[in-house]
């Protein structure tokens, strides 16, 4: 052993009062509160699914040839079961929707979630092995208004948290019949250039040519300029759906840019695909992404298809974007209402009982659990941002009244023990 244990690379602890927003528990609470408030405003209901899922659900749902399934899954066997630590939540949510017959609930299902996800990627700024996603899904709606709702709720979260300068990129991927025709055309275009492609793209040429559009390599991007365009192969219905969605976004005043090369890293998307980017947070600029996934339910075993659309966003990248925007989030530890200071064993016992009485009255109260000097305890009260310090020593025990110090003004009064809770509650609420 060389010293104490540390967190595994690509994971981190969230601590009270941390200067770094990603690792600061108050920043998390603030963001989670705001996200929930936006979700409730848009009438989404919360869903929570297990971290462990059957590996085959993820493999089938996301697609064997995707990076996530082929090289980034944390999966392991126990007995005859293969488990995966979920890399995302859309496939698990569709599983839950089918398993619990949520389609029988009236109307469309509007679900939101927040929680950890796991991918064995190379850690770097904005990219972790345990990261956290929030997102929303609408299941049971093929109307383009569902796509617009999903984009609107996603944008509302960033607005609520003070993140401007975001770019919404939008594309349509067509349906499962039009896509193979595009694959063939793209392949036919790229094959003559195969020797100029990177190894990754060359592999994709046979297995998943659409993903080549995703390349960040400059000379490949140049090569793609002359490639056939997906939109020219898209079926009529998908094209109409896309036109309506764009009109709806215009109605809502949500700006977007059309990006014919936008594809997503997951196989299950049909029609709408989108990504939200922020260019001030480094190489990992994708804040969120999503789209329509009408085929996913059948991929994971449903006899009937379920039209659905959703978005998934990274919490850590949201924090980086908030940093870049200089957006305020609560930082520093939450101040307490009252700090109890006691001197002597008997006073300590009394103060300890009083703690619970004041808490029962709804106050946020704390005390030192050592036996420090009055000065040291006062310093702790200050550091905790206490509005009042309540002091109990021998004399207070004799008279049955505590000293109450208003920490901001420094004024001190005496209050009988039984009147303390009421006195403090009226002054702190
Ligand atoms: P995806 O499911 O790949 O579309 O990811 C949705 C969002 O999750 C991305 O836009 C990122 O914000 C976030 N994300 C994905 N992978 C990671 C990761 N390894 N570390 C941090 N955030 C991630």
């Amino acid at each position: 052993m060389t010293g104490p244990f540390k967190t595994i690379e690509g994971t981190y602890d969230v601590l009270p009062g941390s200067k770094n927003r990603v690792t600061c528990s108050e920043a998390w609470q603030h963001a989670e509160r705001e996200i929930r408030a936006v979700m409730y405003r848009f009438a989404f209901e919360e869903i929570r699914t297990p971290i462990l899922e059957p590996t085959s659900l993820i493999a089938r749902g996301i697609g064997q040839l995707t990076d996530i399934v082929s090289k980034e899954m944390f999966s392991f066997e126990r007995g005859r079961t293969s488990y995966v630590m979920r890399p995302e939540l859309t496939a698990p949510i569709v599983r839950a929707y089918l398993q619990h017959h949520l389609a029988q609930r009236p109307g469309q299902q509007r679900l939101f979630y927040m929680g950890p996800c796991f991918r064995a990627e190379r850690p770097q700024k904005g990219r972790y092995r345990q990261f956290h996603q929030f997102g929303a899904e609408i299941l049971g709606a093929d109307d383009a208004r569902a796509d617009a709702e999903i984009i609107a709720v996603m944008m509302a979260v960033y607005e609520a948290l003070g993140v401007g300068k975001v770019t919404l990129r939008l594309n349509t991927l067509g349906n499962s019949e039009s896509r193979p025709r595009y694959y063939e055309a793209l392949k036919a275009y790229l094959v003559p250039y195969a020797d100029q492609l990177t190894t990754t793209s060359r592999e994709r040429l046979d297995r998943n040519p659409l993903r080549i559009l995703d390349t960040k390599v400059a000379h490949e991007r140049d090569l793609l300029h002359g490639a056939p365009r997906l939109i020219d192969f898209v079926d009529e219905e998908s094209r109409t759906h896309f036109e309506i969605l764009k009109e709806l976004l215009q109605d809502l005043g949500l700006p977007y840019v059309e990006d014919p090369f936008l594809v997503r890293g997951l196989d299950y998307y049909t029609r709408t695909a989108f990504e939200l980017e922020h260019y001030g947070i480094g190489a990992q600029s994708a804040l969120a992404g999503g789209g329509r996934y009408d085929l996913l339910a059948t991929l994971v075993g449903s006899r009937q298809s379920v039209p659905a659309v959703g978005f998934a966003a990274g919490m850590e990248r949201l924090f980086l974007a908030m940093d870049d925007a200089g957006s305020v989030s609560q930082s520093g530890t939450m101040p307490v209402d009252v700090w109890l200071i006691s001197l002597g064993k008997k006073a300590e016992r009394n103060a300890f009982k009083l703690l619970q009485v004041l808490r029962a009255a709804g106050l946020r109260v704390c005390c030192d659990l050592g036996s420090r000097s009055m000065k040291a305890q006062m310093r702790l009260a200050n550091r905790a941002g206490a509005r009042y310090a309540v002091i109990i020593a021998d004399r207070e025990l004799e008279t049955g009244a505590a000293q109450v110090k208003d920490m901001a003004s420094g004024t001190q009064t005496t209050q009988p023990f039984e009147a303390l809770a009421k006195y403090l509650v009226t002054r702190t609420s």
Side-chain angles (χ1 to χ4, degrees), residues 1-18:
M1 282 274 310
T2 52
F5 287 107
K6 297 228 168 84
T7 46
I8 287 168
E9 204 196 352
T11 70
Y12 56 88
D13 295 315
V14 177
L15 306 170
S18 169

Side-chain angles (χ1 to χ4, degrees), residues 119 121 126-128 131 133 264 266 286-289 312-314 317:
R119 295 183 195 175
E121 294 187 272
R127 197 201 262 166
Y128 302 85
F131 61 102
Q133 285 194 337
R264 306 263 307 125
L266 299 85
L287 291 178
R317 294 192 198 165

